[in-house]
Amino acid sequence: MGHGVPELVLELNGRTWTLDPSRSYSVGRDPQGDMVLDDARVSWRHATVRWGGRSWVVEDHGSTNGTYVQGQRIQQTEIGPGSAVHLGNATDGPRLNVSGAGAGAAAYSPQGAMGAPQQAQQQPQQAPQQYQQPPQQPYQQQPGAGWPQQGQQPQAQPQGWQQPPQQQPFVPQQQNPRDHHAQNGHGGGSGGSDEARTGQGDRSPTTFHQLDAGRVMRIGRALENELVVSDLQVSRNHAEFRALPDGRFEIRDLGSHNGTYVNGQPVRQQVIGPNDTVGVGHSTFRLVGDRLEEFVDTGDVSFSARHLTVTVDGGKQILKDVSFGVPEKSLIAVIGPSGSGKSTLLKALTGYRPANEGDVLYDNRNLYKQFAELRQRIGLVPQDDILHKELTVQKALRYAAKLRFPGDTATAEREARIDEVLRELKLDIHREKKVTALSGGQRKRVSVALELLTKPSLIFLDEPTSGLDPGMDRDVMQLLRGLADDGRTVLVVTHSVAELALCDKLLVMAPGGAVAYFGPPNEALNFFGYDSWADVFSAFENYRDYDWSGRWRGSQHYQMYAADIDAVAPQSVDVQAPPARMQKSQGWGSQLWTLIRRYVSVIASDRGFLALMVILPAVLGAVSTVIPSDFGFNKAPKGQFNQDSGTITLILVVGMCFSGAANSVRELIKERVIYERERAVGLSRSAYLMSKVIVLGVITAFQGVIISAIGFSVRELPEEALIMPPAVEMCVAIIAIGFTSMMVGLVISSLVKTAEKTMPLLVMFAIIQVVFTGILFKIYGSPGIEQFAYLMPARWAVGAVGATLDLGPGPGHLMAPWDRKKPLDTDPLWEHTTTQWAIDMGVLLALGIICAFAVARLLRRHEPEVMRK
């Protein structure tokens, strides 16, 4: 051992290590590590033990389940002889025992190293006096005392809320120690919203880094960086702090995938000052002199909503002055009858639809103003599954990880994180099953697993137990309880009231979007004075005009749990001017390649779609062969008609039109929830749309070849065409109408609200194409009808095929004899010239491109409002 360095011996699972201060020791499941643990609660690279210069230090590397000393989760702390470090769980996780020898042990002073955890552990035992002596009589409000009952008229001024009670607020019998922190502003985020401070509330820095003049400090995941951040959201070489000649420092992004942020805004290069916060992944840095303070987001963050008000067109308020704050690492349930604004509240809390007034504070940082950075730390599980049900669990998570993690993340790193999440949620035994083969509760676990990949500190869930039986309902709520206990704040909107006792706090919304109650769930029914939630909801319905919010604001519970947050004045939020351009988690090409591979996997897993993809064009092509024709696509003898050639062309074109649109008409609506969530975390809109166009375009081209091969094989064709052989030239036109129709199908899919509405629109589209081809009746020369027909893809496709076959006017036209004295007035789009064929094909493809821009525009409606340009 070095001179003056206390000797340290670690014991783990019966093995001992005598530590060398010249090196560090890695702990985790990685077989290449120094101390290897085969325990699902331990991360792949969980923690490091090293000599810190004045004491031995244990440092957590962003593990899923945490590192604990004296029952407190730590990011980095000093240890010495007599210390015990638990990995993955504060009580029964693998225990790392620390011992020393002789002088080494005496040289170590545990006062500074262990004092903080000991103090934190003793804190709940020395609660303030008001928490030690709850009232002897249970708290009871008699039904009818201040609020309406069945058969009674509501009181205009409910008793008990005009004058707040003067006595000490009631303290519940089963008070959670977390509630004390919430009351004092540590959990509810009520300590002020001054974003010019640290942005980290009153938390102490996780660690410090010294910045020297003339030195560059590089940040990233790679070990060669001066500041190594073990976070898969961070690129290998992410950013660097650089000293300027005038003594100031600047932050420079090194082309990272998830971006570098100053005060929540993405930057490439910017000079920073003492009031600025720099965000890199889950770490936030603040410059204090020549020292860099680092705050690692491990879940110890507050979250609060202040005076949220949402007003829709016409001035109607659907969310009214909602304020509440939650302590870190807690489970909060939001319940209320239909029309109480629960979904609107969830959208406001997540930034999907920001409130018109009010603030949402994440660790005392305004979520709306800093959404570009904070969106990576928030998980959202919508009511519908946010994954492709045709894929296996592991494959679905694998594609999600590729989209959400930087492009330089190694496959082994992604797989390790997926394995951790699957084990944590007990899904590892289902990894090879298709999502469709799982039960409702298991599918919801997979959706949660997808969100946990990026280690969010705050998770929102919308109706996760909808449609589940009571047993699965309990399993899901117990899962959420476990997520909160492991170091996350979880907020769940639910209709189920069976398992509310598992929650730390309960928010009850009244009709009209106001708060009727916020506090411990076990006191809620007493607060309302009813025996069951069915009675409470009936009272909401029967007395919708009653001032439930006013009664709440006059209650003791309001003084205890919300008064300090509600006292902050509301602010207006300009949602029409979002800050800077959102950083994409990967390059456009990388996202496109991943999306194409995922889409192909989804299609390949759907055997029904594969069969339909071949059968539909084959049947439509075979239908055209039923039409009798003596001359095929050749000219009839002099004086005779070949009207059948036009009919056959009509059937082939409209059949391909229907097939192309049918390929795409459901593809966007069925993935709408998936797109909304992935767009919020950095998915490129154009890459997503292009992946659909490429894959569906290849499928449509394949179908065009099938239709053409069947339709043309039994017909006599002209000996020559304009540019290519006749069969090839007509096949190109058939594929072009299929592509344009496919784009029209995407427009329909982006317009409708439900998949059921796509089929009627598809049929309507196909019938309109039949009418306006120009084959059934004369369109050319008909004012209004001719101009409208220019918008119909089928007319230009018939024109291109007609130009190849020479259906148009002239001495050698195909469909009817030609008389010099009275020439047949046929459509000029059928003129047998190379120029006309090129015009027909050009307009046909231009219509498809216009549809692509329309789809891209329509997709914006399904993005978080704060992200819209």
Side-chain angles (χ1 to χ4, degrees), residues 65 258 323 376 458 579 581 607 792 865:
N65 296 320
N258 280 328
S323 298
Q376 301 290 349
L458 183 63
R581 178 178 58 86
R607 295 183 180 180
M792 300 296 110
E865 189 169 329

Side-chain angles (χ1 to χ4, degrees), residues 352 378-380 404 451 673-681:
Y352 273 62
I378 296 176
L380 172 62
R404 299 194 180 198
E451 290 299 312
V673 176
I674 299 174
Y675 172 75
E676 288 177 353
R677 182 62 194 132
E678 291 182 342
R679 178 66 178 144
V681 295

Side-chain angles (χ1 to χ4, degrees), residues 587-665:
W588 189 88
S590 178
Q591 283 196 8
L592 175 62
W593 177 237
T594 300
L595 290 167
I596 289 176
R597 291 173 59 195
R598 182 178 71 177
Y599 194 25
V600 170
S601 296
V602 171
I603 292 176
S605 301
D606 189 347
R607 295 183 180 180
F609 182 82
L610 290 175
L612 185 63
M613 182 180 69
V614 176
I615 294 174
L616 181 61
V619 171
L620 294 174
V623 168
S624 69
T625 65
V626 178
I627 301 173
S629 176
D630 296 329
F631 312 112
F633 289 114
N634 284 315
K635 295 180 177 64
K638 185 176 181 180
Q640 298 187 44
F641 288 83
N642 186 3
Q643 184 66 37
D644 295 335
S645 60
T647 305
I648 296 169
T649 300
L650 169 67
I651 296 299
L652 291 174
V653 167
V654 174
M656 190 63 224
C657 184
F658 181 83
S659 182
N663 288 337
S664 60
V665 76

Side-chain angles (χ1 to χ4, degrees), residues 688-725:
Y688 175 78
L689 177 57
M690 187 58 66
S691 70
K692 298 293 184 186
V693 172
I694 291 175
V695 176
L696 292 174
V698 171
I699 293 173
T700 302
F702 173 71
Q703 293 176 326
V705 172
I706 294 177
I707 286 182
S708 300
I710 296 175
F712 299 149
S713 63
V714 298
R715 306 296 184 185
E716 294 184 25
L717 301 178
E719 295 181 359
E720 295 182 359
L722 297 170
I723 302 175
M724 297 168 276

Side-chain angles (χ1 to χ4, degrees), residues 68-108:
Y68 300 85
V69 175
Q70 294 285 351
Q72 303 299 308
R73 184 165 182 167
I74 58 96
Q75 176 63 28
Q76 177 178 315
T77 191
E78 300 174 358
I79 58 173
S83 302
V85 180
H86 286 275
L87 307 175
N89 189 283
T91 55
D92 61 353
R95 175 171 174 159
L96 195 64
N97 294 308
V98 185
S99 60
Y108 177 80

Side-chain angles (χ1 to χ4, degrees), residues 28-47:
R29 297 199 330 272
D30 185 359
Q32 304 300 320
D34 299 298
M35 306 175 192
V36 183
L37 285 169
D38 186 15
D39 191 300
R41 295 169 294 182
V42 177
S43 296
W44 190 257
R45 295 181 181 89
H46 195 102

